[in-house]
Each structure stands twice: as structure tokens, then as C-alpha cells.
Amino acid sequence: MLPGNSRVQRKSQADLSRSQFLQLAAAALVPFVGLPPSAAAAKNPELAQNSGASGTSDATTPDRKGAILVSRFGPVKIHSYLSPTDGFHVNTQMIEGPTAVVIFDGQLLLPYADEVASYVQTLGKPVDRIILSHAHTDHWAGLQVLTERLPDARVFALDGVADPLRARGQARLDSFRPIYGDRIATKVTVPTETIAEGLQQIDGITYDFKRFVDAESDLQLAALLPEQKVLMAFDLVFSPKEHVFTVVDHFDHWIIVLELLKAIQGYDTITIGHDTPVHRSAIDSTITYVKRAKEIYAASADAKTYSESLKAAFPDRQLASIVDFSAKLLYAARR
């Protein structure tokens, strides 16, 4: 369980306030188009060494563009689908229990969501539900394909996540279309069910759902799997190999959230929103990055200076275009 903290909970019912992410995302995505697939889609050796899982393996096929890592925790398997670079290295997690599968997040681009649907169908178990971690478009646009191909699966999210999708989702998809054409969704898939905080049993697997505000996004889900000792952190934690999305100026409170996650003991395997699963040491590396980003943001007058300074501060991290993307949104919010 997470230790209590009134600051983390103080805005749990607030509406999302950063509409600039949705308003500007289409234009900011341009630097990513045409980038080659990254070697980050390979299995993470740190996970294999440190996770404590009973085994990990790569589930590959010649025609699949994304990569899938399968982590085994006794009778439970976590199938992590990682999109190529043009899909933002977004992860879709498929938690396979004894009789059913739970899917978390739906990809940015339709072809990659289609690969998720095709893969999950090979598992031979029904999808109990799909859970959206937060309202950023790269995690929900592909829900159109998942719900079409998995029509019995209901879509869940925290209370408050569906509101910006209803209000601005279609306009955002329309803005993406000049960039991605028919690879972007044509309609918004809005969650119809609310995922409650706290302990829940789904197909015999215990989940401890947590709600966080003012971190990488305004509202974010996290989930503990106590029996498997897995933390599903989504976009709260980033890989030490890649740059971090800093699209809003929640630096101070994001650090508070990360410190709370760090205080949880025994969870050495962390699944994240971008790149392959990581060891808990990635919490520290994310804190280091966010602190440095805060300092650079305070000292930079414009997006170009922020971007160049942050890339220089972390020269070995992959996906440097993420910094350009973040800077456009971050500095647009100042105006």
C-alpha cells in the first residue's frame, strides 16, 4: 500500500486542466514521423536479471512491427507490446490470468493496436476489460481498433479521464490525420466504466489501483500487483535509456509522487508507458531527470533553449525528439 499523503490526494476530483496537450499534440508530433524502429524494442536485460519473475521471453513473428515481451509470474503472465518509434514506443500491457486477459492502454496508431488485438486473440482467453491509464492521445487513440475487434470488452478509466476525450478528442484525431492519414483513429473511444481506487480481484488476480494527479499528466492511474510484486506505473516512471515526456510543469509534485512510489518496498519490476519493463532503479533516474528538467525550465526563456539544454544534460538518452515535442507543449502553456 502507498503511504498516506494529503497533497497527492488533494485534487483527486479535479477536472484535467492542461488542454494544451491535446490542442498542440498534432503539430508537435511531426518530428517523430519517419524515424526508424528502435533497438529498445528488444528484451530488457535488466528486467531479466532483477525482476524475480519465473521467466521472460520475446514473442516474435516475422510480420509483427511491434515487439512483445512475455514475463511469467507463476500462473500469471504479463505480455508487454511495445510499438515502434513512430508510435512513441507506447506499451500495451496484457495481464493473462487463469481464464481471462486484462488490457491496459490502446496505442496511438491503428496498425499497432491491430497487432495487439491479433496477439491477444492467440492467447485463447476472453478479454475481461480494457483499462485506460490516462488521457494522453498516444494511449487511447488505438482503442477504436481494440473495441471493434474485442466487442465484449468494456473500457474502464479513472473518474475524470473520459471528460477531455468527450470534449476535445475528435478534434485531436482530426488534427493528427494530416500527419498519419488512415493510421489514426476516425472516432473517439470514450471509457464507459469507472475503475475504482483500492484493492480489486479480476480473474483471481489482485490489483491495487491508485490515483495520482499533477505528474506527467494531470490525472494518472497506477496499479500494484501485490502477489506478483509488479508495479504498473505507466507514464509516472520512464526508462533510463529514453528521454522523459515533460509536457506540463508539474515538476515538484511529480517528484513527490515518485518518492511515494519509491517508498513501496519489494516491487522490483515496473511496467511503464514507454519502453520495456524496468527495475525500480528507474524511479531514481526519473527523479533525477525531472529535477534537472525543472532547473532548465526555470532558466530557459523559450522552448528551443529548454530543448537544447535538456538534450545536452542527458546526451546518452534515446528519442531526443521527445524533448522537442515536450518543449513545444510546455512553453505553449506559458503563453
Side-chain angles (χ1 to χ4, degrees):
M1 298 289 288
L2 285 171
N5 187 294
S6 60
R7 292 184 67 187
V8 173
Q9 301 299 330
R10 73 191 187 281
K11 290 174 60 180
S12 63
Q13 301 302 319
D15 289 338
L16 300 186
S17 60
R18 299 289 180 172
S19 61
Q20 288 86 356
F21 179 89
L22 292 172
Q23 293 170 343
L24 295 167
L29 278 168
V30 172
F32 289 87
V33 179
L35 291 177
S38 167
K43 184 172 70 173
N44 187 331
E46 190 175 56
L47 171 67
Q49 294 169 7
N50 296 303
S51 70
S54 57
T56 58
S57 63
D58 293 303
T60 59
T61 65
D63 298 330
R64 185 184 298 129
K65 294 181 180 179
I68 293 178
L69 176 69
V70 183
S71 303
R72 296 173 177 84
F73 301 85
V76 175
K77 295 180 182 178
I78 300 179
H79 306 260
S80 301
Y81 175 93
L82 179 66
S83 75
T85 307
D86 62 344
F88 267 30
H89 276 177
V90 173
N91 264 313
T92 294
Q93 308 293 345
M94 295 162 274
I95 314 301
E96 180 186 359
T99 64
V101 179
V102 175
I103 296 177
F104 289 85
D105 286 346
Q107 293 294 313
L108 171 65
L109 299 180
L110 299 181
Y112 304 144
D114 196 56
E115 288 191 340
V116 171
S118 294
Y119 178 79
V120 78
Q121 288 175 334
T122 69
L123 302 180
K125 297 175 181 178
V127 175
D128 178 275
R129 66 189 69 188
I130 301 167
I131 300 175
L132 177 60
S133 64
H134 62 294
H136 286 173
T137 313
D138 53 330
H139 294 264
W140 64 257
L143 292 177
Q144 175 178 318
V145 164
L146 294 185
T147 54
E148 288 172 352
R149 295 195 56 186
L150 307 166
D152 294 331
R154 296 171 296 164
V155 181
F156 287 73
L158 289 170
D159 182 32
V161 168
D163 297 339
L165 275 67
R166 292 191 190 97
R168 297 176 292 275
Q170 190 61 53
R172 304 292 60 81
L173 295 179
D174 293 342
S175 298
F176 282 117
R177 194 149 293 105
I179 302 169
Y180 289 115
D182 60 5
R183 297 201 297 158
I184 198 70
T186 58
K187 63 180 182 180
V188 180
T189 303
V190 179
T192 58
E193 307 283 345
T194 300
I195 195 77
E197 295 178 77
L199 292 170
Q200 296 184 42
Q201 287 262 332
I202 305 173
D203 191 33
I205 300 172
T206 301
Y207 295 84
D208 190 1
F209 292 111
K210 300 294 179 183
R211 176 191 188 101
F212 293 101
V213 299
D214 294 348
E216 188 267 352
S217 62
D218 295 294
L219 177 60
Q220 179 90 216
L221 178 74
L224 302 175
L225 278 64
E227 294 165 5
Q228 289 72 39
K229 293 300 179 185
V230 172
L231 166 60
M232 304 182 72
F234 305 104
D235 282 8
L236 294 173
V237 176
F238 279 74
S239 168
K241 298 182 297 182
E242 296 190 350
H243 283 283
V244 175
F245 284 95
T246 54
V247 296
V248 287
D249 60 349
H250 296 324
F251 301 109
D252 288 330
H253 198 258
W254 191 353
I255 292 167
I256 291 172
V257 170
L258 288 166
E259 292 289 355
L260 289 174
L261 295 180
K262 185 178 175 181
I264 306 171
Q265 298 300 312
Y267 289 79
D268 289 338
T269 299
I270 304 177
T271 65
I272 54 178
H274 302 267
D275 203 10
T276 48
V278 294
H279 183 259
R280 65 181 291 113
S281 59
I283 299 175
D284 280 326
S285 66
T286 305
I287 291 172
T288 298
Y289 192 104
V290 173
K291 285 182 176 179
R292 188 71 183 107
K294 175 192 172 184
E295 294 169 355
I296 293 172
Y297 180 63
S300 300
D302 53 53
K304 185 174 185 289
T305 304
Y306 174 84
S307 179
E308 291 178 351
S309 299
L310 194 52
K311 285 186 284 189
F314 297 96
D316 297 328
R317 294 210 178 202
Q318 300 171 9
L319 296 184
S321 293
I322 284 177
V323 186
D324 300 325
F325 166 82
S326 298
K328 290 181 180 180
L329 301 178
L330 189 60
Y331 281 79
R334 279 187 170 184
R335 296 197 292 266

